Amino acid sequence: NLLASQLDYVTGLLGSTQIALLSSTQIAMLTSTEIAELTTPQIAELTTSQVQALTNTQIGYMTSTQILALTNTQIGYLTSSQIQALTNTQIAELTSGQVQALTNTQVGYMSAIQVQELVNSQLANLSITQLQYILGSVMSNQFLQDNLTVAQRNDLDQIYSLPTGQTTSYASGDDGNLQHGRLSNFFTLKTNNIFGNTYRFTDETGAQTYSS
């Protein structure tokens, strides 16, 4: 097995297929300099165990070009801690294929700030399933809702529909069971509107004073 000092010398010399022969332990030993030397073909050949062996620090060292070199399949291999190590810049530069390769579980690992970046920069690339998951499981986070633009909220509202009002469940996964939607009840939003309150219906000032 190669020692850390030897890895520093040979990393740049290894072909893409030879990189795949490095053990998970050796991958985790790569320094920032060695990570920076990994080429696009080398990164594309990393196996499941090698991708998951990358430390959070190593993920942070990866350049935009290297992140883009990860295949859609490799993106799906990223662990919870690796997902949380992605910077906003890295998230913003993911390709549409990489974004859609993220599982709901991986999106669930993201911090509120990461999800905000995902929505802000990758809204057009998110799949309907991903948006439904974000809106059903994450959008209730008031921090995220407060940092969306009105235009983004309008786009998301087209998918994050109103509840049907059904509260009795007849089968697992039906409306009565899930009760998905952006309302707590007919008159109350789950999160603040642009006026900073949870009124579903307001006057032009955000209050509920209506003139006849």
Side-chain angles (χ1 to χ4, degrees):
N1 289 339
L2 294 173
L3 300 175
S5 57
Q6 295 172 310
L7 280 173
D8 187 40
Y9 173 72
V10 302
T11 301
L13 303 178
L14 295 178
S16 57
T17 55
Q18 293 169 313
I19 280 288
L21 299 178
L22 294 178
S23 69
S24 297
T25 301
Q26 291 170 324
I27 290 292
M29 291 168 56
L30 296 176
T31 66
S32 59
T33 300
E34 292 159 352
I35 289 292
E37 291 176 348
L38 292 177
T39 64
T40 295
Q42 287 176 324
I43 291 173
E45 287 298 324
L46 294 176
T47 65
T48 303
S49 59
Q50 288 177 318
V51 169
Q52 294 182 334
L54 291 168
T55 67
N56 297 351
T57 302
Q58 288 173 323
I59 292 290
Y61 286 149
M62 294 180 72
T63 65
S64 299
T65 300
Q66 290 175 315
I67 291 292
L68 291 176
L70 290 170
T71 66
N72 298 346
T73 301
Q74 289 172 321
I75 288 291
Y77 295 154
L78 296 178
T79 65
S80 58
S81 60
Q82 289 174 322
I83 288 291
Q84 292 166 357
L86 291 173
T87 67
N88 280 359
T89 299
Q90 290 171 329
I91 290 172
E93 294 179 344
L94 294 175
T95 66
S96 59
Q98 288 176 319
V99 169
Q100 293 181 18
L102 291 169
T103 65
N104 285 350
T105 300
Q106 289 175 313
V107 174
Y109 292 144
M110 291 184 171
S111 67
I113 294 176
Q114 286 179 308
V115 175
Q116 179 192 339
E117 179 59 41
L118 187 66
V119 173
N120 280 339
S121 61
Q122 299 284 3
L123 183 58
N125 292 328
L126 289 166
S127 68
I128 297 298
T129 301
Q130 289 172 317
L131 279 172
Q132 288 174 330
Y133 176 79
I134 290 172
L135 294 167
S137 304
V138 184
M139 189 55 72
S140 59
N141 185 310
Q142 193 65 56
F143 172 81
L144 178 60
Q145 182 74 317
D146 288 345
N147 284 275
L148 292 175
T149 66
V150 173
Q152 287 173 323
R153 291 191 196 186
N154 290 338
D155 287 340
L156 294 174
D157 283 348
Q158 295 177 19
I159 296 170
Y160 194 29
S161 60
L162 295 174
T164 62
Q166 178 66 31
T167 58
T168 301
S169 176
Y170 297 96
S172 178
D174 67 10
D175 287 348
N177 169 228
L178 299 177
Q179 297 186 38
H180 282 172
R182 61 181 186 273
L183 301 179
S184 294
N185 56 55
F186 186 76
F187 297 102
T188 309
L189 300 170
K190 285 184 177 178
T191 51
N192 287 346
N193 56 32
I194 59 175
F195 297 108
N197 60 58
T198 56
Y199 296 149
R200 178 184 177 189
F201 304 105
T202 71
D203 60 24
E204 61 185 8
T205 65
Q208 292 187 313
T209 302
Y210 309 106
S211 58
S212 56

